Amino acid sequence: MKKQTSFSSLLRVLALAASASICAIGAASAHRMWITPSAFTLSGEEQWITVDGAISNDLFFANHVPLTSDALIVTRPDGQSGEIENAATGRFRTVFDVQLNQQGTYRIAETGALFFAEWQENGETQRRRGSLEQLRSGGVLAHDGVRLMRSARRVETYVTLGAPNETALRPTGQGLELRPLTHPNDIFAGEPARFVLLQNGEPAAGLQVEIVKGDDRYAEAVQSQTLTSAADGSISFTPQQVGRYWLASQAEGVAEMDGVPMRQLLTYTLTFEVVQP
Amino acid sequence: MRALVIAAGVLAAGAASADELRVEIELPRMSVAEYHRPYVALWIARPDQSVVSHLDVWYQQEDGPEGAGETWLVDIRQWWRRIGRTLELDTDGVSRPTRPPGQHTMSYQLPALPPGDYLLNVEAAREVGGRELIGVPFRVSSNRVVEASAQGENELGAINMRISR
């Protein structure tokens, strides 16, 4: 009789559960979560953009499941929250509009966390997922030997109207994030771009970062590279081709919430554009 | 005049006098079903593309049926990155309406350029058309007259420039 499930098998379970639902977790399931705007850089006094959010293998084709739309956050150039308009979730993608009526850089993110529980009952493995409160009120946390995992994500992109500014780039200090040293709307082919990976606001060393060029469905071999963050959390890369790119990283660890210890998986993804210098 | 004023400050050390820059630009006639006049920007840069002096930008200054003309300034990509996005277009005195195909001659007064290598950058972007950036290299040494030219391929034709002081 199976006594204990290893962490890696729990991860597999989570990946399976995720790919079957709308909470796929980045590289663990090879399904990629992304947000992509109709334009990354705009001019003029006021503009609108439309934004797609989806989880798919092909970048950036929405052909698998939509990103959830209940935790979309727009940070305006002055640091205040912006409005999401005309949000709708279809079969394969979530779509929404954002009015840009301030000059500067906007951060557009989808964030969220889901809890997974696994325990043995009468010789069978039981699994539930939901918010911590849902698991608690459902009595899940009371089971003997219950194993918990928290999966938190940040899926984001940046858009600039007029001259870029830094306010919306400030880290929130929560989960896995990327602090741009190169402005994310100022990434040019043949020029190095630098970022610092942060975990709960602190530089995260030794984490793998995957960078994939979009339109991979037309490539014989997927154009991707995997970097490892340095001791100061920094990564540097020089994209050679113009186009849209996807960057992703994950951190595994332990966490404690409301006195309950658990495994934790933090996921971060960024969509950015590389333009001609 | 903001860009020119900034350039004047940068160049003050070596500027004993003023230069007159004459530029001839040919906008090719296109045989296309849908033609829009190109947006064109002109500026002087160093070989590393750092900006010395912004000269001009031609764009649709009146709002049209398709919205504000400033919407497409971003399509003059290199200019937008280097200059446009931090420029106050309403007050800078260095912008004007788009121009039709043909030969155009402009004249600019600018602080005397210190000896060195430069580029006259001319960038054109056309709605439902292409984009082209031509850097005309030239060298300034002492007080001689400088002449240079280049030939565009798609959105720009011949470009001739002459600096006299």
Side-chain angles (χ1 to χ4, degrees):
Chain A
M1 195 167 97
K2 206 159 64 171
K3 289 275 185 215
Q4 286 263 311
T5 322
S6 72
F7 181 50
S8 65
S9 76
L10 178 60
L11 271 182
R12 272 201 301 278
V13 166
L14 296 174
L16 269 174
S19 62
S21 69
I22 52 169
C23 59
I25 36 180
S29 63
H31 287 120
R32 295 160 173 156
M33 304 183 291
W34 48 264
I35 277 183
T36 187
S38 51
F40 292 86
T41 301
L42 302 97
S43 55
E45 296 209 347
E46 287 193 0
Q47 298 292 353
W48 283 88
I49 54 167
T50 187
V51 184
D52 289 339
I55 302 166
S56 72
N57 288 333
D58 295 343
L59 298 168
F60 291 91
F61 297 92
N63 58 9
H64 185 53
V65 285
L67 211 59
T68 55
S69 64
D70 50 2
L72 297 166
I73 303 165
V74 172
T75 309
R76 287 150 50 96
D78 63 3
Q80 302 297 307
S81 292
E83 296 289 314
I84 301 286
E85 309 220 29
N86 304 323
T89 297
R91 192 165 184 87
F92 289 153
R93 69 177 167 156
T94 283
V95 62
F96 56 95
D97 297 336
V98 180
Q99 187 179 22
L100 313 180
N101 48 20
Q102 259 178 28
Q103 299 283 306
T105 300
Y106 293 72
R107 184 180 192 176
I108 301 167
E110 195 266 349
T111 65
L114 209 53
F115 294 83
F116 298 82
E118 187 177 293
W119 71 97
Q120 301 291 318
E121 197 171 308
N122 303 325
E124 288 189 13
T125 303
Q126 303 288 325
R127 300 182 186 105
R128 294 286 184 281
R129 63 188 168 88
S131 69
L132 193 57
E133 201 38 57
Q134 284 171 333
L135 296 181
R136 190 194 304 278
S137 61
V140 170
L141 300 190
H143 290 290
D144 265 355
V146 65
R147 301 164 65 87
L148 275 174
M149 177 166 171
R150 174 177 184 264
S151 175
R153 66 188 181 277
R154 169 173 283 273
V155 182
E156 67 184 359
T157 193
Y158 293 93
V159 172
T160 295
L161 174 66
N165 75 331
E166 308 283 323
T167 307
L169 275 54
R170 286 185 197 139
T172 66
Q174 309 257 311
L176 201 56
E177 288 180 284
L178 208 56
R179 183 162 66 84
L181 299 178
T182 304
H183 193 288
N185 295 128
D186 262 348
I187 303 179
F188 295 91
E191 298 182 11
R194 295 187 66 227
F195 297 89
V196 176
L197 207 57
L198 301 175
Q199 185 169 342
N200 298 327
E202 299 294 324
L207 289 186
Q208 288 203 334
V209 178
E210 187 187 14
I211 299 166
V212 185
K213 186 169 182 308
D215 284 342
D216 48 340
R217 66 156 60 156
Y218 303 117
E220 291 289 328
V222 176
Q223 297 174 62
S224 73
Q225 54 178 314
T226 302
L227 311 172
T228 303
S229 60
D232 61 357
S234 67
I235 57 165
S236 176
F237 58 94
T238 304
Q240 296 301 330
Q241 287 184 289
V242 299
R244 287 183 295 179
Y245 285 74
W246 182 81
L247 178 155
S249 187
Q250 284 193 322
E252 291 173 23
V254 291
E256 191 177 298
M257 298 198 74
D258 302 345
V260 183
M262 62 190 75
R263 295 280 184 182
Q264 180 166 257
L265 180 66
L266 302 173
T267 304
Y268 177 85
T269 82
L270 172 71
T271 305
F272 61 93
E273 179 184 57
V274 174
V275 295
Q276 281 177 343
Chain B
M1 289 302 283
R2 201 178 73 165
L4 293 180
V5 170
I6 292 168
V10 170
L11 297 173
S17 57
D19 286 339
E20 186 187 354
L21 167 65
R22 226 175 115 85
V23 182
E24 292 171 9
I25 294 179
E26 182 192 2
L27 296 182
R29 207 165 295 279
M30 306 277 174
S31 53
V32 290
E34 180 182 352
Y35 179 78
H36 302 268
R37 292 179 179 182
Y39 280 26
V40 177
L42 282 77
W43 72 102
I44 294 172
R46 297 179 187 87
D48 68 358
Q49 290 295 356
S50 60
V51 175
V52 175
S53 187
H54 177 225
L55 301 173
D56 216 339
V57 57
W58 309 345
Y59 71 102
Q60 179 204 316
Q61 298 181 310
E62 303 296 320
D63 290 357
E66 293 168 53
E70 291 183 9
T71 297
W72 298 283
L73 285 174
V74 72
D75 294 337
I76 323 175
R77 293 185 210 135
Q78 178 78 245
W79 173 83
W80 181 253
R81 172 194 182 186
R82 302 287 180 187
I83 298 168
R85 67 191 192 183
T86 54
L87 203 63
E88 296 287 339
L89 283 167
D90 296 338
T91 57
D92 69 351
V94 290
S95 61
R96 52 183 118 194
T98 55
R99 298 181 161 207
Q103 198 76 24
H104 301 279
T105 303
M106 283 78 57
S107 180
Y108 306 96
Q109 298 293 325
L110 59 158
L113 291 167
D117 289 322
Y118 298 93
L119 292 166
L120 170 68
N121 281 333
V122 182
E123 186 173 12
R126 185 167 53 91
E127 188 180 351
V128 297
R131 173 255 189 193
E132 185 164 18
L133 169 64
I134 301 290
V136 187
F138 64 93
R139 171 168 289 177
V140 173
S141 52
S142 70
N143 287 327
R144 301 222 310 272
V145 167
V146 178
E147 287 186 325
S149 59
Q151 178 68 42
E153 289 186 358
N154 301 307
E155 299 299 327
L156 292 165
I159 298 166
N160 298 299
M161 60 159 283
R162 177 190 166 94
I163 293 178
S164 52
R165 60 176 62 163

